[in-house]
Amino acid sequence: KYPIVTINLLSHQTIVDPPNGKLEAIVEGGNETCIFQWEDVAGPLLPPESYNSPIADRLVAGTFTVVVTLKESGCVVTESAIIHDMTD
């Protein structure tokens, strides 16, 4: 059974420097250890060690995807969310 992954928007980008967009991945179902990787349209966010938890912060406006891999089974589930630019 695949878990359900949802993303909570914790903050849109409201200031330019430093960016303050923030997302949180919620995994429901299953008891396996999860590995998180956050990506944008260019690929994995760098440095990867800063974006390997359920929460991704310091994000600019854009579309972001979390890739959740279940460690034991190797099952991969993805979900995306949009952060809007609210700096105007």
Side-chain angles (χ1 to χ4, degrees):
K1 179 179 175 181
Y2 293 104
I4 297 170
V5 177
T6 56
I7 297 179
N8 288 338
L9 173 67
L10 300 179
S11 174
H12 284 296
Q13 180 183 0
T14 58
I15 58 174
V16 175
D17 191 22
N20 66 335
K22 190 172 187 178
L23 299 171
E24 177 184 31
I26 306 294
V27 180
E28 298 178 49
N31 296 322
E32 294 186 48
T33 302
C34 296
I35 301 168
F36 297 89
Q37 178 61 55
W38 289 90
E39 301 178 349
D40 64 10
V41 294
L45 298 179
L46 300 175
E49 60 274 6
S50 295
Y51 295 100
N52 62 1
S53 73
I55 295 178
D57 58 4
R58 302 180 316 270
L59 302 173
V60 297
T63 301
F64 296 89
T65 300
V66 64
V67 179
V68 179
T69 304
L70 302 181
K71 192 171 183 179
E72 289 79 19
S73 67
C75 170
V76 176
V77 181
T78 62
E79 185 62 46
S80 296
I82 297 172
I83 290 183
H84 294 283
D85 184 348
M86 308 295 266
T87 59
D88 296 337

